Short mmCIF file of all heavy atoms in Angstrom, two decimals:
data_model
loop_
_atom_site.label_atom_id
_atom_site.label_comp_id
_atom_site.label_asym_id
_atom_site.label_seq_id
_atom_site.Cartn_x
_atom_site.Cartn_y
_atom_site.Cartn_z
N ALA A 1 0.84 -1.23 0.01
CA ALA A 1 -0.01 0.01 0.01
C ALA A 1 0.87 1.27 -0.01
O ALA A 1 0.50 2.27 -0.59
CB ALA A 1 -0.93 0.01 1.20
N GLU A 2 2.03 1.19 0.62
CA GLU A 2 2.94 2.33 0.64
C GLU A 2 3.67 2.46 -0.68
O GLU A 2 3.99 3.56 -1.14
CB GLU A 2 3.97 2.20 1.76
CG GLU A 2 3.34 2.31 3.15
CD GLU A 2 4.33 1.99 4.24
OE1 GLU A 2 5.49 1.62 3.92
OE2 GLU A 2 3.96 2.13 5.40
N GLU A 3 3.99 1.35 -1.30
CA GLU A 3 4.71 1.37 -2.55
C GLU A 3 3.85 1.84 -3.72
O GLU A 3 4.37 2.42 -4.67
CB GLU A 3 5.25 -0.06 -2.85
CG GLU A 3 6.27 -0.57 -1.88
CD GLU A 3 7.60 0.18 -1.97
OE1 GLU A 3 8.12 0.42 -3.09
OE2 GLU A 3 8.10 0.56 -0.91
N PHE A 4 2.55 1.55 -3.65
CA PHE A 4 1.62 1.91 -4.70
C PHE A 4 0.39 2.63 -4.19
O PHE A 4 -0.77 2.15 -4.33
CB PHE A 4 1.18 0.63 -5.47
CG PHE A 4 2.30 -0.16 -6.05
CD1 PHE A 4 2.70 -1.36 -5.47
CD2 PHE A 4 3.01 0.32 -7.14
CE1 PHE A 4 3.73 -2.08 -6.02
CE2 PHE A 4 4.06 -0.39 -7.69
CZ PHE A 4 4.41 -1.61 -7.13
N PRO A 5 0.55 3.81 -3.56
CA PRO A 5 -0.61 4.48 -2.97
C PRO A 5 -1.67 4.86 -4.01
O PRO A 5 -2.83 4.95 -3.66
CB PRO A 5 0.01 5.70 -2.30
CG PRO A 5 1.29 5.91 -3.00
CD PRO A 5 1.77 4.58 -3.41
N GLU A 6 -1.27 5.06 -5.27
CA GLU A 6 -2.22 5.44 -6.28
C GLU A 6 -3.09 4.26 -6.71
O GLU A 6 -4.10 4.45 -7.40
CB GLU A 6 -1.47 5.99 -7.52
CG GLU A 6 -0.68 5.01 -8.30
CD GLU A 6 0.73 4.68 -7.76
OE1 GLU A 6 1.00 4.93 -6.58
OE2 GLU A 6 1.57 4.15 -8.52
N TYR A 7 -2.75 3.05 -6.26
CA TYR A 7 -3.53 1.88 -6.65
C TYR A 7 -4.25 1.24 -5.46
O TYR A 7 -4.60 0.06 -5.51
CB TYR A 7 -2.58 0.81 -7.24
CG TYR A 7 -2.04 1.16 -8.60
CD1 TYR A 7 -0.65 1.31 -8.79
CD2 TYR A 7 -2.87 1.33 -9.71
CE1 TYR A 7 -0.15 1.62 -10.05
CE2 TYR A 7 -2.37 1.62 -10.97
CZ TYR A 7 -0.99 1.78 -11.10
OH TYR A 7 -0.45 2.08 -12.36
N THR A 8 -4.48 2.01 -4.41
CA THR A 8 -5.08 1.47 -3.18
C THR A 8 -6.38 0.69 -3.49
O THR A 8 -6.57 -0.44 -3.02
CB THR A 8 -5.31 2.57 -2.15
OG1 THR A 8 -4.10 3.20 -1.85
CG2 THR A 8 -5.91 2.01 -0.88
N GLN A 9 -7.28 1.31 -4.24
CA GLN A 9 -8.54 0.64 -4.55
C GLN A 9 -8.36 -0.58 -5.42
O GLN A 9 -8.96 -1.61 -5.19
CB GLN A 9 -9.53 1.63 -5.20
CG GLN A 9 -10.95 1.07 -5.31
CD GLN A 9 -11.56 0.72 -3.96
OE1 GLN A 9 -11.56 1.54 -3.03
NE2 GLN A 9 -12.09 -0.49 -3.86
N ALA A 10 -7.47 -0.46 -6.41
CA ALA A 10 -7.24 -1.60 -7.33
C ALA A 10 -6.64 -2.77 -6.55
O ALA A 10 -7.01 -3.92 -6.78
CB ALA A 10 -6.32 -1.17 -8.47
N ILE A 11 -5.72 -2.47 -5.63
CA ILE A 11 -5.11 -3.55 -4.80
C ILE A 11 -6.22 -4.24 -4.03
O ILE A 11 -6.30 -5.47 -3.99
CB ILE A 11 -4.03 -2.97 -3.86
CG1 ILE A 11 -2.84 -2.51 -4.70
CG2 ILE A 11 -3.63 -4.01 -2.82
CD1 ILE A 11 -1.86 -1.66 -3.92
N HIS A 12 -7.07 -3.45 -3.39
CA HIS A 12 -8.17 -4.05 -2.60
C HIS A 12 -9.09 -4.90 -3.50
O HIS A 12 -9.37 -6.07 -3.16
CB HIS A 12 -8.97 -2.99 -1.93
CG HIS A 12 -10.23 -3.49 -1.27
ND1 HIS A 12 -10.19 -4.19 -0.11
CD2 HIS A 12 -11.54 -3.42 -1.62
CE1 HIS A 12 -11.42 -4.53 0.21
NE2 HIS A 12 -12.26 -4.06 -0.69
N ASP A 13 -9.49 -4.32 -4.62
CA ASP A 13 -10.40 -5.06 -5.50
C ASP A 13 -9.78 -6.35 -6.00
O ASP A 13 -10.44 -7.40 -6.03
CB ASP A 13 -10.78 -4.15 -6.69
CG ASP A 13 -11.60 -2.95 -6.31
OD1 ASP A 13 -12.12 -2.92 -5.13
OD2 ASP A 13 -11.73 -2.03 -7.11
N LEU A 14 -8.53 -6.26 -6.43
CA LEU A 14 -7.85 -7.47 -6.97
C LEU A 14 -7.65 -8.54 -5.88
O LEU A 14 -7.81 -9.74 -6.14
CB LEU A 14 -6.54 -7.11 -7.60
CG LEU A 14 -6.64 -6.50 -9.02
CD1 LEU A 14 -5.32 -5.87 -9.42
CD2 LEU A 14 -7.05 -7.55 -10.01
N LYS A 15 -7.29 -8.11 -4.69
CA LYS A 15 -7.12 -9.07 -3.60
C LYS A 15 -8.44 -9.82 -3.29
O LYS A 15 -8.41 -10.98 -2.92
CB LYS A 15 -6.59 -8.39 -2.35
CG LYS A 15 -5.11 -8.05 -2.44
CD LYS A 15 -4.60 -7.21 -1.27
CE LYS A 15 -4.80 -7.86 0.06
NZ LYS A 15 -4.20 -7.04 1.15
N MET A 16 -9.54 -9.16 -3.49
CA MET A 16 -10.82 -9.75 -3.23
C MET A 16 -11.35 -10.62 -4.38
O MET A 16 -12.10 -11.58 -4.16
CB MET A 16 -11.89 -8.67 -2.93
CG MET A 16 -11.53 -7.79 -1.73
SD MET A 16 -11.24 -8.72 -0.23
CE MET A 16 -12.93 -9.24 0.15
N SER A 17 -10.90 -10.33 -5.60
CA SER A 17 -11.51 -10.97 -6.78
C SER A 17 -10.55 -11.85 -7.57
O SER A 17 -11.00 -12.61 -8.44
CB SER A 17 -12.09 -9.95 -7.70
OG SER A 17 -11.07 -9.12 -8.25
N ASP A 18 -9.25 -11.75 -7.35
CA ASP A 18 -8.25 -12.44 -8.18
C ASP A 18 -7.33 -13.23 -7.28
O ASP A 18 -6.44 -12.64 -6.65
CB ASP A 18 -7.53 -11.41 -9.01
CG ASP A 18 -6.58 -11.98 -10.05
OD1 ASP A 18 -5.82 -12.88 -9.70
OD2 ASP A 18 -6.62 -11.48 -11.18
N THR A 19 -7.50 -14.54 -7.29
CA THR A 19 -6.69 -15.38 -6.43
C THR A 19 -5.19 -15.31 -6.77
O THR A 19 -4.35 -15.27 -5.83
CB THR A 19 -7.15 -16.88 -6.55
OG1 THR A 19 -8.53 -16.92 -6.23
CG2 THR A 19 -6.39 -17.77 -5.61
N TYR A 20 -4.86 -15.23 -8.04
CA TYR A 20 -3.43 -15.15 -8.42
C TYR A 20 -2.82 -13.89 -7.83
O TYR A 20 -1.75 -13.91 -7.23
CB TYR A 20 -3.29 -15.16 -9.94
CG TYR A 20 -1.84 -15.03 -10.36
CD1 TYR A 20 -0.99 -16.12 -10.33
CD2 TYR A 20 -1.32 -13.79 -10.74
CE1 TYR A 20 0.34 -16.01 -10.74
CE2 TYR A 20 0.00 -13.66 -11.10
CZ TYR A 20 0.83 -14.78 -11.09
OH TYR A 20 2.15 -14.66 -11.46
N PHE A 21 -3.53 -12.75 -7.97
CA PHE A 21 -2.98 -11.49 -7.45
C PHE A 21 -2.92 -11.55 -5.93
O PHE A 21 -1.92 -11.10 -5.36
CB PHE A 21 -3.87 -10.30 -7.90
CG PHE A 21 -3.34 -8.99 -7.43
CD1 PHE A 21 -2.34 -8.35 -8.11
CD2 PHE A 21 -3.90 -8.37 -6.32
CE1 PHE A 21 -1.83 -7.13 -7.67
CE2 PHE A 21 -3.40 -7.15 -5.85
CZ PHE A 21 -2.35 -6.52 -6.55
N ALA A 22 -3.93 -12.06 -5.28
CA ALA A 22 -3.92 -12.17 -3.83
C ALA A 22 -2.72 -13.00 -3.35
O ALA A 22 -2.05 -12.63 -2.38
CB ALA A 22 -5.22 -12.78 -3.33
N ASN A 23 -2.44 -14.08 -4.04
CA ASN A 23 -1.29 -14.93 -3.69
C ASN A 23 0.04 -14.20 -3.93
O ASN A 23 0.98 -14.36 -3.17
CB ASN A 23 -1.31 -16.23 -4.44
CG ASN A 23 -2.44 -17.14 -3.93
OD1 ASN A 23 -2.85 -17.07 -2.81
ND2 ASN A 23 -2.88 -18.04 -4.80
N LEU A 24 0.08 -13.44 -4.99
CA LEU A 24 1.25 -12.64 -5.35
C LEU A 24 1.55 -11.61 -4.23
O LEU A 24 2.67 -11.50 -3.79
CB LEU A 24 1.05 -11.93 -6.68
CG LEU A 24 2.21 -11.34 -7.43
CD1 LEU A 24 3.22 -12.39 -7.76
CD2 LEU A 24 1.70 -10.68 -8.70
N VAL A 25 0.50 -10.91 -3.81
CA VAL A 25 0.67 -9.92 -2.73
C VAL A 25 1.05 -10.60 -1.46
O VAL A 25 1.92 -10.10 -0.71
CB VAL A 25 -0.61 -9.08 -2.59
CG1 VAL A 25 -0.55 -8.23 -1.32
CG2 VAL A 25 -0.80 -8.19 -3.82
N GLU A 26 0.48 -11.70 -1.14
CA GLU A 26 0.81 -12.46 0.08
C GLU A 26 2.27 -12.94 0.07
O GLU A 26 2.96 -12.81 1.06
CB GLU A 26 -0.13 -13.65 0.26
CG GLU A 26 0.08 -14.39 1.57
CD GLU A 26 -0.29 -13.56 2.79
OE1 GLU A 26 -1.09 -12.63 2.71
OE2 GLU A 26 0.32 -13.80 3.88
N ALA A 27 2.75 -13.41 -1.10
CA ALA A 27 4.15 -13.81 -1.22
C ALA A 27 5.08 -12.60 -0.98
O ALA A 27 6.09 -12.72 -0.30
CB ALA A 27 4.39 -14.44 -2.57
N TYR A 28 4.71 -11.49 -1.55
CA TYR A 28 5.47 -10.25 -1.38
C TYR A 28 5.48 -9.87 0.10
O TYR A 28 6.55 -9.58 0.66
CB TYR A 28 4.93 -9.12 -2.21
CG TYR A 28 5.65 -7.80 -1.99
CD1 TYR A 28 6.72 -7.44 -2.81
CD2 TYR A 28 5.29 -6.93 -0.99
CE1 TYR A 28 7.43 -6.25 -2.61
CE2 TYR A 28 5.97 -5.75 -0.76
CZ TYR A 28 7.04 -5.43 -1.60
OH TYR A 28 7.70 -4.28 -1.35
N HIS A 29 4.32 -9.87 0.74
CA HIS A 29 4.19 -9.52 2.10
C HIS A 29 5.08 -10.41 3.01
O HIS A 29 5.84 -9.92 3.87
CB HIS A 29 2.73 -9.59 2.55
CG HIS A 29 2.49 -9.36 3.98
ND1 HIS A 29 2.52 -8.10 4.54
CD2 HIS A 29 2.24 -10.19 5.00
CE1 HIS A 29 2.29 -8.17 5.86
NE2 HIS A 29 2.11 -9.41 6.14
N ASP A 30 5.00 -11.72 2.81
CA ASP A 30 5.79 -12.65 3.60
C ASP A 30 7.28 -12.41 3.41
O ASP A 30 8.04 -12.38 4.41
CB ASP A 30 5.44 -14.08 3.23
CG ASP A 30 4.05 -14.51 3.68
OD1 ASP A 30 3.45 -13.84 4.52
OD2 ASP A 30 3.57 -15.56 3.17
N LEU A 31 7.70 -12.26 2.16
CA LEU A 31 9.10 -12.01 1.88
C LEU A 31 9.56 -10.67 2.42
O LEU A 31 10.66 -10.56 3.02
CB LEU A 31 9.36 -12.08 0.37
CG LEU A 31 10.79 -11.89 -0.08
CD1 LEU A 31 11.72 -12.91 0.55
CD2 LEU A 31 10.90 -11.96 -1.59
N ASN A 32 8.75 -9.64 2.32
CA ASN A 32 9.06 -8.37 2.86
C ASN A 32 9.27 -8.42 4.36
O ASN A 32 10.21 -7.82 4.89
CB ASN A 32 7.99 -7.35 2.51
CG ASN A 32 8.39 -5.93 2.77
OD1 ASN A 32 9.49 -5.48 2.43
ND2 ASN A 32 7.54 -5.19 3.45
N ARG A 33 8.41 -9.12 5.05
CA ARG A 33 8.60 -9.30 6.50
C ARG A 33 9.90 -10.06 6.82
O ARG A 33 10.59 -9.72 7.76
CB ARG A 33 7.39 -10.03 7.10
CG ARG A 33 6.11 -9.30 7.01
CD ARG A 33 6.10 -8.10 7.96
NE ARG A 33 5.00 -7.25 7.71
CZ ARG A 33 4.30 -6.65 8.64
NH1 ARG A 33 4.60 -6.78 9.90
NH2 ARG A 33 3.31 -5.84 8.34
N GLN A 34 10.22 -11.07 6.07
CA GLN A 34 11.45 -11.82 6.28
C GLN A 34 12.65 -10.89 6.09
O GLN A 34 13.59 -10.94 6.90
CB GLN A 34 11.54 -12.98 5.29
CG GLN A 34 10.64 -14.12 5.54
CD GLN A 34 10.67 -15.15 4.45
OE1 GLN A 34 11.52 -15.06 3.51
NE2 GLN A 34 9.79 -16.15 4.48
N ILE A 35 12.63 -10.07 5.07
CA ILE A 35 13.74 -9.14 4.82
C ILE A 35 13.87 -8.13 5.96
O ILE A 35 14.97 -7.82 6.43
CB ILE A 35 13.59 -8.45 3.47
CG1 ILE A 35 13.73 -9.44 2.33
CG2 ILE A 35 14.53 -7.27 3.33
CD1 ILE A 35 13.31 -8.95 0.97
N HIS A 36 12.75 -7.66 6.44
CA HIS A 36 12.77 -6.72 7.53
C HIS A 36 13.42 -7.35 8.79
O HIS A 36 14.24 -6.72 9.46
CB HIS A 36 11.39 -6.23 7.89
CG HIS A 36 11.29 -5.24 9.02
ND1 HIS A 36 11.90 -4.01 8.93
CD2 HIS A 36 10.76 -5.32 10.23
CE1 HIS A 36 11.67 -3.37 10.04
NE2 HIS A 36 11.00 -4.13 10.86
N ARG A 37 13.08 -8.63 9.04
CA ARG A 37 13.73 -9.32 10.15
C ARG A 37 15.21 -9.51 9.92
O ARG A 37 16.02 -9.42 10.84
CB ARG A 37 13.03 -10.66 10.41
CG ARG A 37 11.64 -10.50 11.02
CD ARG A 37 11.02 -11.78 11.49
NE ARG A 37 10.95 -12.80 10.48
CZ ARG A 37 9.92 -12.98 9.65
NH1 ARG A 37 8.84 -12.20 9.74
NH2 ARG A 37 9.91 -13.95 8.77
N MET A 38 15.62 -9.75 8.66
CA MET A 38 17.03 -9.83 8.35
C MET A 38 17.74 -8.50 8.58
O MET A 38 18.82 -8.47 9.19
CB MET A 38 17.22 -10.22 6.88
CG MET A 38 16.80 -11.63 6.54
SD MET A 38 16.95 -11.89 4.74
CE MET A 38 15.89 -13.28 4.49
N GLU A 39 17.11 -7.42 8.10
CA GLU A 39 17.76 -6.12 8.19
C GLU A 39 17.87 -5.64 9.66
O GLU A 39 18.83 -4.93 9.98
CB GLU A 39 16.92 -5.08 7.40
CG GLU A 39 16.97 -5.28 5.92
CD GLU A 39 15.99 -4.43 5.18
OE1 GLU A 39 15.02 -3.89 5.76
OE2 GLU A 39 16.20 -4.27 3.93
#
């Protein structure tokens, strides 16, 4: 949401309606948290 503030609604809509996109965002979220723990 911070990386793409101009797409807030599209992110929400896609997460609710598109399984592939929802999984993509979840993978990013998980990896991002791992990197934060590394850093």
